[in-house]
Amino acid sequence: MAESKAAEATLDKGEAEVKKDRRELLKSIPWLGIAWGALAAAVGGLLTGILRFLYPNVLFEPPQTFKIGLPEEYQVGEVATQWKDRYGVWVVRNDEGFYALITVCTHLGCTPNWLSSENKYKCPCHGSGFYKNGINFEGPAPRPLERAAIVLAEDGQIVVDKSRKFLYERGGWDDPSSFLLYTA
Amino acid sequence: MLDSIQAIIDRLFAPEILLTASIVLLLLFFKYRKFCTQNKWMIMLILGGPVVYFALSAFEENFWIQFSKPDNLPITLMLWLVIFFVWLAMRKGVENDERVAAGMPVAEDTKEQKEKVFVWPDLIYIEFLMLLAVFIGILVWSILIPAPLEEPANPQLTPNPSKAPWYFLGLQEILVYFDPWLAGVVIPSLIVIGLMALPYIDPNPRGNGYYTFSERRYEIPIFLFGFLILWILLVFQGTFLRGPNWNFYGPYEYWDVHKIVPLTNVQLSEYIWARLLGVGLPAFWLVREIFGIILLLMYFVALPVLLARKWFNKFYVQMGAVRYGIAVFLFLMMVFVPIKMYLRWMINLKYFVALPEFFFNI
């Protein structure tokens, strides 16, 4: 009996020691640091994912610089609407040359329509109207349509560069790149 | 005969006439509120008139096209509901005002009105029945009139006319007359801020919890002017009267895409410098826009002071400088919207102050 009691006692003592060790072990782990670290990692990963999302692998956007054919293909006094769908520009030829208007209403960004019978661009959203040269004259649009850079390439084709915009109210239309001199 | 009547009605729905007529009718409704809410014939006219008008007009081809669009049906319903509830509230308010004048307790304060019932079953039972009714109503509606879905959006092809959802048509209408930052940001924020400020501007505890007009004889007309004229009426205009190229069309007019309306806008600076003084526009923007800036300062700074001295003196004394200042600014801002609309319709005024150099126009 005594033997077993002693054995029990040592067993108890051993269990207590083990328990104590386990507690010490648990205490020795820096839980708070791990928790904060995990939170930082999770939030950081989320933010990285969001940032990565802003830079897609593939961009389905039409090129900003594009060729639109030879000058002879355009009639004097006409607004060419065939590039509106693909590139978002109207190409206008007058007696002196060419200019390219960007098809974004300066009021809230709708796409106006060229009404040839009324000789104006008319926005269907709030009724802004622009003359053929892009000057706003009716409705709420506060400023004229923007023009894109337009030059002749070496192969004789017209090149439009939408990344360079010319704003009338900033005097941009006086810039030689905003207008392609061409008389034929 | 019928054609000429339709032409006259089309003319009456021109924006300047419609807005003026609506304001006059609303003021008459407030002035003759007892007659409007208690005379049998007036009740039939106010509540039945719109129904009869829409029902008769539905036989007209062009009216039917707009009226029967799945998008527009709820607007007709809403117009009638708004008229009905404004009328109902006014009727109860007039009754209560008469009771108070006669020394009786208001209708909401009588013994039977104060009787309490159990939530279960009395309230839940009714709520459940209503839930079923609304559910069945929406289900039947959605089966009978399919949702107006269109083809996938194409950024190069804007529908003509391009309309906002019905609850934003009032804002879209205001966007025609103001710069986007004003009509899209400042004015909607002021509507919300103004509604939040109402209980602080008017802390009159009488009139709480029951219908009344005489306890809120300034607040109710001002609020209803903002709600009925500057919101509901503009939604109606945007739904039924704005057609292709965002031109105004009469209710019986065919929506002709090629309708030409001369809308050439003129800035205030052009009116004064070029037309009145006969000199060209000054090059420097501050000189060019000086008249518009002075006019706006007079409206928003000098006018409140003048009003405080004269016509609004009663409110100024009652409310104190701060509360009066906030209230009168909100009020003037609200009135500024129709003023600008009238000026655009009548003299094609574009902006009081136009500073395209800074993307700032008022």
Side-chain angles (χ1 to χ4, degrees):
Chain A
M1 274 303 248
E3 234 177 287
S4 65
K5 251 190 184 174
E8 245 172 54
T10 44
L11 205 75
D12 277 357
K13 199 185 161 199
E15 224 170 52
E17 262 173 12
V18 169
K19 266 186 189 166
K20 198 182 158 201
D21 286 351
R22 199 183 283 158
R23 193 169 294 146
E24 287 302 315
L25 184 74
L26 287 173
K27 272 186 187 167
S28 67
I29 300 173
W31 290 112
L32 209 60
I34 290 176
W36 278 110
L39 184 70
V43 173
L46 192 68
L47 284 180
T48 319
I50 291 171
L51 277 178
R52 180 69 188 79
F53 192 68
L54 298 176
Y55 299 94
N57 295 333
V58 188
L59 257 186
F60 294 100
E61 272 182 356
Q64 290 294 295
T65 308
F66 42 87
K67 290 188 175 174
I68 54 168
L70 299 166
E72 294 86 55
E73 292 166 23
Y74 296 88
Q75 300 288 320
V76 174
E78 294 241 315
V79 176
T81 55
Q82 69 262 40
W83 305 110
K84 188 181 160 190
D85 281 358
R86 235 167 107 195
Y87 297 123
V89 288
W90 289 296
V91 180
V92 190
R93 179 175 181 183
N94 61 18
D95 294 335
E96 293 165 11
F98 290 86
Y99 51 87
L101 290 168
I102 291 168
T103 61
V104 175
C105 178
T106 51
H107 179 229
L108 278 178
C110 287
T111 307
N113 299 307
W114 166 247
L115 308 176
S116 53
S117 54
E118 280 95 65
N119 215 22
K120 66 183 179 190
Y121 310 94
K122 186 75 176 165
C123 182
C125 290
H126 304 91
S128 294
F130 305 87
Y131 292 126
K132 192 195 262 179
N133 60 4
I135 298 283
N136 55 323
F137 73 100
E138 64 178 2
R143 55 200 187 85
L145 293 171
E146 293 170 0
R147 287 187 182 178
I150 185 164
V151 288
L152 266 189
E154 283 174 359
D155 60 354
Q157 289 201 56
I158 303 173
V159 178
V160 175
D161 181 4
K162 269 180 78 183
S163 63
R164 291 167 66 204
K165 290 177 183 173
F166 297 99
L167 278 58
Y168 170 81
E169 67 278 8
R170 298 267 170 93
W173 290 10
D174 299 330
D175 192 293
S177 302
S178 72
F179 193 86
L180 173 62
L181 282 171
Y182 185 85
T183 41
Chain B
M1 175 63 188
L2 202 60
D3 281 353
S4 56
I5 292 176
Q6 286 176 0
I8 292 170
I9 294 179
D10 275 346
R11 191 75 199 88
L12 289 178
F13 274 89
E16 63 272 21
I17 299 174
L18 182 64
L19 185 65
T20 313
S22 307
I23 294 172
V24 170
L25 283 178
L26 194 63
L27 289 177
L28 287 175
F29 178 67
F30 292 135
K31 176 109 175 89
Y32 300 104
R33 53 190 181 276
K34 187 166 177 225
F35 179 65
C36 286
T37 52
Q38 296 190 334
N39 182 288
K40 195 171 69 182
W41 298 104
M42 277 310 282
I43 296 173
M44 281 166 70
L45 183 70
I46 292 174
L47 300 183
V51 178
V52 173
Y53 172 72
F54 271 84
L56 284 178
S57 297
F59 288 101
E60 208 276 335
E61 198 181 348
N62 291 321
F63 189 95
W64 173 251
I65 292 173
Q66 300 313 323
F67 172 72
S68 63
K69 277 184 183 165
D71 273 330
N72 295 353
L73 272 179
I75 310 292
T76 315
L77 208 65
M78 179 195 70
L79 279 179
W80 191 81
L81 282 176
V82 164
I83 293 173
F84 172 72
F85 280 115
V86 168
W87 172 86
L88 184 70
M90 184 60 87
R91 181 185 163 98
K92 295 198 162 190
V94 168
E95 276 170 12
N96 273 346
D97 291 342
E98 280 177 348
R99 293 173 74 107
V100 169
M104 288 155 63
V106 294
E108 286 83 351
D109 204 26
T110 53
K111 217 167 197 178
E112 70 231 36
Q113 283 292 317
K114 283 165 93 175
E115 188 199 351
K116 289 177 177 165
V117 292
F118 293 106
V119 170
W120 173 262
D122 300 73
L123 177 69
I124 300 289
Y125 176 71
I126 296 170
E127 279 183 346
F128 182 68
L129 277 185
M130 282 318 291
L131 185 145
L132 284 182
V134 171
F135 178 69
I136 291 167
I138 290 176
L139 204 68
V140 170
W141 188 338
S142 67
I143 291 169
L144 289 182
I145 305 164
L149 291 179
E150 294 167 28
E151 65 266 33
N154 175 0
Q156 297 306 330
L157 192 78
T158 317
N160 191 10
S162 208
K163 292 195 177 185
W166 65 268
Y167 43 85
F168 277 151
L169 279 174
L171 275 184
Q172 189 174 5
E173 190 62 31
I174 295 176
L175 271 165
V176 177
Y177 312 99
F178 293 97
D179 239 22
W181 65 270
L182 248 181
V185 181
V186 175
I187 291 175
S189 315
L190 280 181
I191 293 173
V192 176
I193 293 171
L195 287 173
M196 281 171 14
L198 269 183
Y200 303 97
I201 292 171
D202 169 35
N204 176 11
R206 279 181 301 167
N208 282 2
Y210 62 91
Y211 290 99
T212 175
F213 183 82
S214 57
E215 286 296 335
R216 307 231 189 278
R217 51 189 312 125
Y218 300 104
E219 293 83 350
I220 289 175
I222 291 173
F223 172 78
L224 283 182
F225 176 77
F227 179 58
L228 294 180
I229 305 290
L230 294 183
W231 198 256
I232 299 294
L233 184 72
L234 294 187
V235 167
F236 170 75
Q237 265 187 4
T239 308
F240 291 107
L241 306 180
R242 284 291 196 181
N245 297 324
W246 214 246
N247 284 323
F248 274 114
Y249 291 79
Y252 306 111
E253 200 177 339
Y254 172 67
W255 279 18
D256 181 7
V257 184
H258 296 287
K259 176 179 179 175
I260 294 182
V261 188
L263 289 171
T264 308
N265 291 324
V266 187
Q267 315 277 19
L268 184 73
S269 55
E270 290 164 1
Y271 265 119
I272 291 180
W273 288 108
R275 297 205 186 172
L276 204 67
L277 302 176
V279 293
L281 289 180
F284 184 51
W285 59 268
L286 188 62
V287 185
R288 189 185 69 214
E289 304 297 340
I290 191 71
F291 293 109
I293 294 171
I294 290 174
L295 201 68
L296 286 181
L297 284 179
M298 272 167 61
Y299 183 78
F300 281 109
V301 180
L303 190 60
V305 178
L306 182 76
L307 289 173
R309 295 255 171 88
K310 290 213 155 182
W311 299 286
F312 288 3
N313 189 258
K314 190 173 90 181
F315 302 107
Y316 180 73
V317 172
Q318 248 176 33
M319 298 164 83
V322 176
R323 272 203 300 144
Y324 168 81
I326 294 171
V328 87
F329 169 73
L330 290 170
F331 178 74
L332 287 179
M333 196 68 202
M334 184 169 89
V335 177
F336 188 62
V337 173
I339 288 178
K340 181 80 192 286
M341 291 163 80
Y342 274 122
L343 287 173
R344 177 68 66 83
W345 294 329
M346 278 149 45
I347 61 167
N348 276 325
L349 179 83
K350 186 160 191 182
Y351 291 122
F352 290 101
V353 176
L355 299 170
E357 295 93 339
F358 307 108
F359 300 101
F360 181 90
N361 309 285
I362 294 176

